[in-house]
Each structure stands twice: as C-alpha cells, then as structure tokens.
C-alpha cells in the first residue's frame, strides 16, 4: 500500500554538486614558424599547469610552417604525449588554425593562446579558478598596448568603435584570442557554419557568462609579428563584412536622399522659372534628370543589397539562438543537456 505523501516528498534533494574541480583542460596553440618558441612554451606550460592538478592536453596547430616547427612538435610529442599536434596542409591563417584546434580539443575547458610566449601561461591558473566558479568564458584583457605606436592604437580603437556601431556586437576592450572556453561554448563554436571566421566577434556573439581579467602582454622573444598592415586591413574588413550587411543596404538611404534633393531642386527651379523666367535654357532640367535617375539607381542597388544581405545571413547558417542550459527537460523527453544549439530546420 502507498504511504500518504509527506510534505518532504515535494522537495527533491539538490543534485549532488558536480564537483567542478580538476576537469580536463585543453590548450590550443596556433603556430606559424615558431620553431624557436616551441620548447620554451612547452616547459612553461608544464610548469604552470602541473601544480594545478587538472589533467591537460596541449594541441598545437601548425599553420603551414616552413621551418622546423613540425619536427619540434614531433619531438615534443615523443617526449610527452600530452602534447599533440595538428598540421595544416598550408597556411590558412590564425583564425582557421584556432578553429581546427578547437575541433580537436577534448577537454571540458579549452584555453586558446599564442605560441610566441606573448600570452603568459601563468595566467591560465586564474582562468581555471574563475571557470571553476561557474564562468563559461574567461578572457584576458591586455592592460596596455605600449608596444604599439600611437597610430596603431588609434586605428585599433576606431575599428572597434566602427565595428560596434555597424554590427551592434560590442567587443570587450583589449580582449583577444587568449581565453578559456567551457565545453558548451566550444561545441557551439564548432557548430558555426560560416567560413569567414572573425573569432573575436564570434566569441562576443555566442555570449554565455563571461568575465575578463587583466594581463600584461609579453614582448615577442623570437621572430616578428605577422600582422602587417595589409593583413590587418583584410582582418578588419572580414570582421565587419561577416557581422553586418549595412554596407550593402546603405545605398537605399543614399538614393532616397539624392532623389529628394533632385525633387526639391526641381520644385525650386519650377517656381523660379514661373516667376522670373528662364535664364540658362536646358541646364536645370538636365541636372534634375541626372540627379533623379542617379537616385533611383542607388535605391535599386540598395534593394538588391537588402535581398543579398538576407541571402548572406541565411547562407551563414548561424544558429537562431543558443541555449546555455536546460532546466527540467532531461527527465521528460531525454533531451541531452549538452544539446546547446538549435539550428533552424531547413
Ligand atoms: N599564427 C598562425 N597563423 C598565421 C599567423 C600567425 O598560426 O597565419 C600564430 C603565430 O604563430 C602566433 C599567433 O598566431 O602563435 C599570433 O601571431 P602573431 O604573434 O604574429 O600576432 P600578434 O601577436 O602580433 O597579434
Ligand atoms: Mg604575437
């Protein structure tokens, strides 16, 4: 026989707190011709990670190096199997190398860092601490850009302002790729369908509970930065183009303005002719038709831009929304809590 329900039956005990301690961490490092930094990076990583006790793996993505980087990575793996390497067939650029690393990482958390020792491995301890407190994204913010010239600082600042203004996505000040992502974020990131990758923007776009911590960028010990002006410009254009279609659509508005100006001028001219008569025959009507036609053409370009922009948004195939957590679903229909992203059905 069933015993009568006691009030306590309605209070389910809290689920045993999944201890956040000592989860596995993957470190993803994109490298291009860093043969002289690999060994130092490995020893500093070991020195700063081992005391934490978390199991870890390091996935170095060789982005088509032409020096001895790959050989150095083979040697490293032979000495310590926690170091693995993915070698890309050619240079695909850092953004894609990072994406490759994230797809190969198996940890419950993934740290992305540069291979040139500009990102101090000692910061990772702080990342893990905040991750254990429940943050899904911990990003490092460089405290000062003293290495850069005034022009570089100015152009970086203007770019981020423009990016925010056009796309509505705000990028945290001084945050780069150096960060820790929880497995949930990595899974969403791996599922993004787009090919033009602007990681900084995508990290901000996917959201989740995030926190920034300050760090000081070290100076490069070997080699030089690969971010020359042309590359930076391409990076900036990629960033804006993959986060906004404003440049495509703005022409409608320009066209409307030009057409309005033409109509205004036409009416002023009409009144003027009626009152004072014609001074230079033929010229105003020519100007009006050029302006009006130009305006109409711009409007139609903008209309094409509107549709093209929509096609572009669809083709990117980004999820409509991203679920951070599902509460009370798993018992009902067996939905996997790890099923974090919903893609609109085609
Ligand atoms: N990198 C890469 N592919 C590239 C360019 C750079 O994997 O096409 C790597 C590089 O080896 C380094 C990191 O990305 O580990 C950051 O590059 P870099 O130091 O040139 O950039 P900066 O520090 O000036 O932002
Ligand atoms: Mg660097």
């Amino acid at each position: 026989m069933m015993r009568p329900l006691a009030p306590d039956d309605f209070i389910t005990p809290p689920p045993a707190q999944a201890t956040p301690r000592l989860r596995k961490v993957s470190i993803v490092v994109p490298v291009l011709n860093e043969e002289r930094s690999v060994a130092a990076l490995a020893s500093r990583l070991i020195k700063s990670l081992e005391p934490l006790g978390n199991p870890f793996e390091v996935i170095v993505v060789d982005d088509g190096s032409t020096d001895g980087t790959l050989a150095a990575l083979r040697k490293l793996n032979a000495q310590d199997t926690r170091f693995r390497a993915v070698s890309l067939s050619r240079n695909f650029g850092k953004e894609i190398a990072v994406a490759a690393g994230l797809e190969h990482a198996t940890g419950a958390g993934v740290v992305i860092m540069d291979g040139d020792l500009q990102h101090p491995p000692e910061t990772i301890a702080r990342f893990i601490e905040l991750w254990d407190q429940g943050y899904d994204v911990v990003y490092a913010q460089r405290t000062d850009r003293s290495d850069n010239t005034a022009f570089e600082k100015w152009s970086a600042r203007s770019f981020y302002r423009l990016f925010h203004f056009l796309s509505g996505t705000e990028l945290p000040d001084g945050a780069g790729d150096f960060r820790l992502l929880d497995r949930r974020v990595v899974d969403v990131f791996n599922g993004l369908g787009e090919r033009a990758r602007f990681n900084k923007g995508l990290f901000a776009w996917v959201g989740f509970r995030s926190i920034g911590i300050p760090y000081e960028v070290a100076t490069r010990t070997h080699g030089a930065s690969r971010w020359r002006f042309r590359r930076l410009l391409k990076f900036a254009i990629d960033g804006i183009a993959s986060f906004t279609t404003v440049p495509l659509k703005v022409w409608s508005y320009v066209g409307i303005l030009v057409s309005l100006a033409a109509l205004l001028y036409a009416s002023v001219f009409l009144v003027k002719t009626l009152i004072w008569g014609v001074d230079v025959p033929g010229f105003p009507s020519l100007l009006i038709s050029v302006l009006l036609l130009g305006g109409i053409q711009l409007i139609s370009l903008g209309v094409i831009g509107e549709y093209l922009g929509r096609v572009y948004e669809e083709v990117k195939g980004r999820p409509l929304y991203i679920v951070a957590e599902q509460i009370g679903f798993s018992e009902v229909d067996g939905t996997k809590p790890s099923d974090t992203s919903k893609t609109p059905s085609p």
Side-chain angles (χ1 to χ4, degrees), residues 24-243:
K24 181 175 173 185
V25 182
S26 305
I27 318 284
V28 166
V29 191
V31 294
L32 171 64
N33 298 338
E34 307 279 7
E35 67 178 328
R36 285 187 295 171
S37 303
V38 167
L41 176 74
S43 67
R44 273 183 66 187
L45 274 173
I46 292 176
K47 224 189 283 161
S48 44
L49 288 172
E50 264 176 356
L52 304 177
N54 292 66
F56 70 90
E57 66 175 0
V58 179
I59 295 176
V60 186
V61 183
D62 172 27
D63 187 15
S65 298
T66 49
D67 65 351
T69 302
L70 190 60
L73 294 176
R74 281 218 181 85
K75 200 171 126 206
L76 195 59
N77 173 260
Q79 290 165 352
D80 187 337
T81 49
R82 291 174 297 187
F83 287 82
R84 305 205 193 137
V86 177
S87 170
L88 303 185
S89 60
R90 63 171 170 86
N91 178 244
F92 281 87
K94 184 185 171 190
E95 308 294 293
I96 293 178
V98 166
L102 288 177
E103 287 195 352
H104 284 82
T106 59
V110 181
V111 173
I112 303 167
M113 65 184 290
D114 284 0
D116 55 3
L117 289 171
Q118 286 194 283
H119 294 163
E122 292 72 28
T123 318
I124 296 175
R126 210 44 209 115
F127 283 173
I128 293 178
E129 204 177 295
L130 287 162
W131 176 45
D132 282 342
Q133 286 172 21
Y135 288 99
D136 294 308
V137 178
V138 188
Y139 53 85
Q141 288 175 292
R142 52 200 296 172
T143 39
D144 104 76
R145 287 174 168 267
S146 53
D147 264 7
N148 303 65
T149 63
F151 172 73
E152 283 168 337
K153 285 184 206 179
W154 172 83
S155 47
R157 229 180 313 120
S158 333
F159 168 71
Y160 291 119
R161 279 217 202 104
L162 181 70
F163 183 86
H164 183 204
F165 173 71
L166 289 177
S167 70
T169 302
E170 192 168 4
L171 304 178
D173 208 29
D177 287 344
F178 188 27
R179 55 181 68 220
L180 180 147
L181 307 174
D182 185 76
R183 168 55 45 193
R184 299 192 290 182
V185 184
V186 174
D187 285 344
V188 169
F189 199 81
N190 289 342
L192 294 178
E194 57 205 88
R195 306 181 58 83
R197 294 271 175 163
F198 179 63
N199 290 346
K200 258 186 236 194
L202 291 174
F203 290 140
W205 183 84
V206 295
F208 289 95
R209 267 191 83 194
S210 311
I211 189 169
I213 56 169
Y215 84 108
E216 233 172 89
V217 197
T219 41
R220 222 176 205 286
T221 38
H222 299 290
S225 168
R226 241 84 49 164
W227 295 93
R228 298 264 169 269
F229 185 73
R230 249 185 53 204
R231 208 162 177 158
L232 272 176
L233 192 66
K234 182 185 171 293
F235 182 68
I237 292 175
D238 261 3
I240 288 178
S242 50
F243 272 84

